[in-house]
Amino acid sequence: MAAPHPPIRYQICARHPEAHLFEVSVRVEAPDPAGQTFSVPAWIPGSYMIRDFARHIVRISARAGRRTIGIEKLDKHTWRAAPCRGPLTVVCEIYAWDLSVRGAHLDTTHGFFNGTCVFLRVHGRAESPCLVEIAAPRGSAYRRWRVATSLPRAGARRHGFGSYSAENYDALIDHPVEMGEYSLVSFVARGVVHEIAISGRHDADLERLARDLKRVTEQHIDFFGARPPVRYYLFLVTAVGDGYGGLEHRASTALLCSRDDLPQRGAETQGERYLTFLGLASHEYFHTWNVKRIKPAAFTPYDLTRENYTRQLWAFEGITSYYDDLALVRCGLLSREQYLKALARTLTAVQRSNGRTKQTVAESSFDAWVKFYRQDENAPNAIVSYYAKGSLIALALDLTVRKATRGRKSLDDIMRVLWQQHGRSGRGVGETEIEALAEQVCGVRLGRFFARALYSTEELPLPALLHEFGIKATLGPAESASDRGGHTPEPSGKNAPPRAVLGVRTEVVGGDLKLAQVLDQGSAQAAGLSAGDSLVALNGIRVTTTNLDRLLARQRPGAVVRIHAFRRDELIERRVRLLAAPADTYALTLDERAPAARKRLRDAWISSPAPVRNRR
Ligand SMILES: [Zn+2]
């Protein structure tokens, strides 16, 4: 057995908050005698896009003792220090001005970083333990700052600056860190301390938040079985005016939300925005098992220098998306009606993207790096979301298994076996292993199901499946441009004449109404209008940022209208034959007249305890 490596020592200091600069050093006791190489990750696990974090390194230097050592850049994110006897220290100045869950951000109000943005990887030393010293910025203005992270403490006081540790580099970069004057609330779920740290100004009802997240976390812990995989868990929340995002980590999650998404003090009921926030927190928490521990073989280990291809993101993101809201209904935070509304909106979103007829979810997953994460104006026509369609595949799989086994088996059983066989051991999941394992666990033949769902663009038989569970699906045209689905049309609306539509999605840029996306088979596309065109007039009447729907409401499908628009500052005129709004909007309702056997299947699937009131 080789002697254990001495730890690699990192130090990060919020050196110049006013200039958004962290100073980060790494010290290697016994560097490679041939010249030690270092690199910065090109991407961050969980967000499948090459981001080249090394581009934020402003300065880099190396020294051995007091002697300056040459450091040569080998490629966009790799350096090699000249051969020297240790200890070797490399110091970087890193610009941090990306307030996303994937980045690093520092100003005079707070600091946040992911290790992928700031910590150099010491080549050949992936398994060495790491020690990291987190230092406060100098000055009395920062004396109330404290630290929130799931990194294990190695001398630092709770929430204090000081020493933290990580078992290896992979762990080091999987614990984001917040520093500043955040608000904090905690709760215990199944013996595990959970904390919620919120930075940014807000007036959230913290007790309510803790109470609700306790239910969510207990639901997930119980789902997978008695012993939680973590001893401590941290929700790191950044509240801003307008934002949304989440990134999963092994013992924490970074969430970005609008301050209005957080629960309001004293309110008896909480709006849809808060339910969306709970769904996001539930999603990232489920990832603690599914993707952080049950991982695709392609990610074990991660290659942080380049794209890591897998066709399985439908399972890691889709199944997680399926369980995020399902957990909320199962623990009583969503009513069944609210759950079905959310589900109908997912069905609607997939139905509205013609990309679903061109790209399979396996392809969407494989190409996530260049398509899903780099969407352009043609995205709805070209790609399918492995999140949205993936969650519908999870639903279809769950219902198929429940139906075939008369409720004896379900996707829940498949997930628990995945946890036992892969999550606990860390053995990666091979590209088609979930498919084989699902058949094995459930004793149901699923070859045709997976061939159709994952590797073809055929529609999923969801309305028929839902019917077997006492749920009625109806598909009709959207009632307005803002109709995202999920509500049953007014009875009076049934006889209303069909709406005429352009087949576009619009956005307001400056004072202009621009075409953001021009949809396949729509009237705008047929007439030669393009994404980016600024609408000027319809039948000689000025189009403003708010009146397009009203102008169209006076037209009938089949009518030909004159549209003026600017493209590259040039006025163009097109005659557009309007089409009827397509039937692309789902509503789902509980069918109370369904036979008892179907209702029993339904209750076993979306049973929920008594609805939760905001008890004081
Ligand atoms: Zn996710």
Side-chain angles (χ1 to χ4, degrees):
M1 222 161 89
H5 280 297
I8 295 172
R9 288 170 188 275
Y10 291 89
Q11 196 175 55
I12 178 160
C13 173
R15 180 69 71 206
H16 294 293
E18 71 291 351
H20 322 299
L21 293 172
F22 280 113
E23 186 183 280
V24 184
S25 69
V26 52
R27 176 179 153 127
V28 186
E29 296 302 323
D32 182 343
Q36 181 63 54
T37 45
F38 300 87
S39 63
V40 175
W43 61 285
I44 179 167
S47 183
Y48 307 108
M49 185 171 139
I50 297 298
R51 297 187 190 274
D52 290 330
F53 296 115
R55 69 203 171 92
H56 299 303
I57 293 191
V58 179
R59 286 197 285 199
I60 187 167
S61 61
R63 61 173 198 264
R66 291 195 177 166
R67 198 158 57 89
T68 300
I69 296 288
I71 185 161
E72 179 192 8
K73 196 160 187 183
L74 302 182
D75 65 27
K76 64 178 180 177
H77 49 212
T78 314
W79 290 262
R80 184 174 52 216
C84 67
R85 285 174 55 154
L88 166 69
T89 303
V90 175
V91 184
C92 303
E93 191 176 88
I94 300 176
Y95 182 65
W97 193 239
D98 172 8
L99 188 60
S100 77
V101 295
R102 315 167 293 263
H105 189 260
L106 176 64
D107 65 12
T108 53
T109 67
H110 89 129
F112 170 82
F113 65 83
N114 282 287
T116 40
C117 298
V118 295
F119 294 132
L120 290 178
R121 182 166 64 89
V122 182
H123 288 202
R125 301 289 297 277
E127 289 312 316
S128 295
C130 302
L131 276 176
V132 52
E133 180 81 18
I134 304 175
R138 277 192 216 118
S140 59
Y142 307 108
R143 72 177 191 282
R144 287 165 59 150
W145 279 28
R146 47 186 185 159
V147 173
T149 180
S150 52
L151 271 171
R153 285 182 286 129
R157 285 202 314 229
R158 212 165 142 256
H159 301 125
F161 287 91
S163 285
Y164 291 80
S165 70
E167 63 203 72
N168 52 32
Y169 184 78
D170 193 40
L172 177 70
I173 59 169
D174 204 15
H175 297 278
V177 176
E178 170 74 26
M179 52 180 83
E181 296 176 45
Y182 50 80
S183 47
L184 189 73
V185 63
S186 69
F187 61 90
V188 176
R190 303 291 180 248
V192 176
V193 173
H194 290 67
E195 289 186 316
I196 309 165
I198 308 178
S199 70
R201 286 184 198 170
H202 68 90
D203 58 0
D205 180 344
L206 294 180
E207 280 170 32
R208 169 79 193 252
L209 194 56
R211 195 164 65 230
D212 289 347
L213 284 181
K214 178 177 161 75
R215 292 181 85 105
V216 175
T217 52
E218 287 180 345
Q219 168 67 35
H220 287 311
I221 292 170
D222 295 348
F223 175 88
F224 279 104
R227 229 181 65 210
V230 293
R231 280 186 290 185
Y232 165 82
Y233 190 90
L234 174 65
F235 291 92
L236 265 184
V237 184
T238 303
V240 294
D242 190 21
Y244 179 85
L247 193 61
E248 66 276 9
H249 298 283
R250 64 186 62 191
S252 61
T253 178
L255 304 174
L256 181 74
C257 69
S258 305
R259 58 180 67 86
D260 304 338
D261 296 349
L262 297 170
Q264 204 182 332
R265 277 198 197 114
E268 182 68 22
T269 53
Q270 301 286 343
E272 230 168 66
R273 300 185 68 133
Y274 179 48
L275 294 177
T276 304
F277 175 81
L278 286 178
L280 176 65
S282 172
H283 180 99
E284 304 307 343
Y285 196 73
F286 192 83
H287 272 316
T288 312
W289 290 265
N290 194 35
V291 96
K292 291 317 302 187
R293 289 174 176 82
I294 307 167
K295 280 184 187 183
F299 292 172
T300 43
Y302 298 113
D303 180 346
L304 295 168
T305 67
R306 53 185 286 276
E307 294 85 350
N308 289 196
Y309 296 103
T310 173
R311 291 182 171 79
Q312 294 194 83
L313 292 179
W314 73 271
F316 293 96
E317 289 301 348
I319 292 178
T320 302
S321 298
Y322 173 55
Y323 280 106
D324 59 25
D325 278 351
L326 189 58
L328 297 189
V329 71
R330 284 178 173 176
C331 73
L333 289 167
L334 276 187
S335 68
R336 297 212 254 198
E337 288 77 8
Q338 286 172 313
Y339 176 65
L340 292 183
K341 182 175 179 179
L343 201 54
R345 287 188 167 176
T346 307
L347 278 161
T348 302
V350 173
Q351 190 66 28
R352 285 181 186 176
S353 117
N354 199 42
R356 80 186 192 288
T357 66
K358 299 172 190 169
Q359 192 188 41
T360 67
V361 285
E363 290 165 345
S364 177
S365 169
F366 194 85
D367 275 338
W369 304 86
V370 289
K371 291 195 173 183
F372 189 79
Y373 270 91
R374 289 169 66 180
Q375 296 189 22
D376 61 18
E377 64 290 335
N378 198 42
N381 297 329
I383 67 178
V384 70
S385 161
Y386 52 80
Y387 282 84
K389 189 171 175 193
S391 75
L392 297 181
I393 292 171
L395 167 67
L397 175 60
D398 198 8
L399 299 187
T400 299
V401 169
R402 285 171 187 271
K403 187 183 146 207
T405 61
R406 295 207 190 88
R408 282 193 307 276
K409 293 285 178 188
S410 70
L411 181 57
D412 301 358
D413 297 292
I414 300 171
M415 294 315 294
R416 287 192 274 263
V417 173
L418 271 169
W419 168 242
Q420 293 302 334
Q421 296 189 2
H422 294 272
R424 281 184 186 280
S425 66
R427 186 169 66 80
V429 182
E431 286 292 281
T432 56
E433 226 169 324
I434 291 181
E435 297 158 48
L437 190 128
E439 287 200 334
Q440 226 176 65
V441 171
C442 304
V444 178
R445 290 195 143 169
L446 294 164
R448 281 180 57 187
F449 174 87
F450 284 121
R452 176 179 180 174
L454 309 184
Y455 307 108
S456 92
T457 57
E458 245 182 272
E459 306 279 351
L460 297 168
L462 275 169
L465 270 170
L466 287 163
H467 178 71
E468 305 272 351
F469 286 74
I471 290 163
K472 215 170 93 191
T474 49
L475 184 62
E479 285 180 359
S480 68
S482 60
D483 181 358
R484 295 194 287 139
H487 63 95
T488 32
E490 301 285 326
S492 61
K494 283 206 169 145
N495 303 318
R499 286 170 59 238
V501 293
L502 275 175
V504 297
R505 288 180 200 148
T506 58
E507 62 185 344
V508 177
V509 180
D512 291 345
L513 189 72
K514 285 200 168 210
L515 301 185
Q517 290 157 337
V518 174
L519 304 175
D520 273 359
Q521 291 141 20
S523 41
Q525 191 185 61
L529 289 169
S530 297
D533 289 353
S534 293
L535 297 187
V536 175
L538 189 151
N539 279 350
I541 303 295
R542 180 176 169 179
V543 173
T544 68
T545 55
T546 53
N547 71 351
L548 181 63
D549 282 348
R550 271 181 286 143
L551 292 174
L552 286 170
R554 303 187 79 84
Q555 302 294 332
R556 291 285 158 258
V560 175
V561 296
R562 254 182 325 132
I563 290 196
H564 284 89
F566 277 115
R567 182 181 305 167
R568 299 186 295 271
D569 304 335
E570 297 170 11
L571 187 66
I572 57 172
E573 182 184 338
R574 294 285 182 273
R575 292 190 174 269
V576 182
R577 180 175 297 277
L578 298 174
L579 297 176
D584 60 6
T585 306
Y586 274 98
L588 300 176
T589 44
L590 296 165
D591 180 2
E592 291 314 339
R593 283 181 301 188
R598 291 183 178 178
K599 283 188 181 168
R600 271 198 302 276
L601 278 177
R602 184 178 76 196
D603 291 347
W605 165 50
I606 45 172
S607 59
S608 78
V612 184
R613 293 268 148 67
N614 188 14
R615 289 184 219 100
R616 290 260 116 198

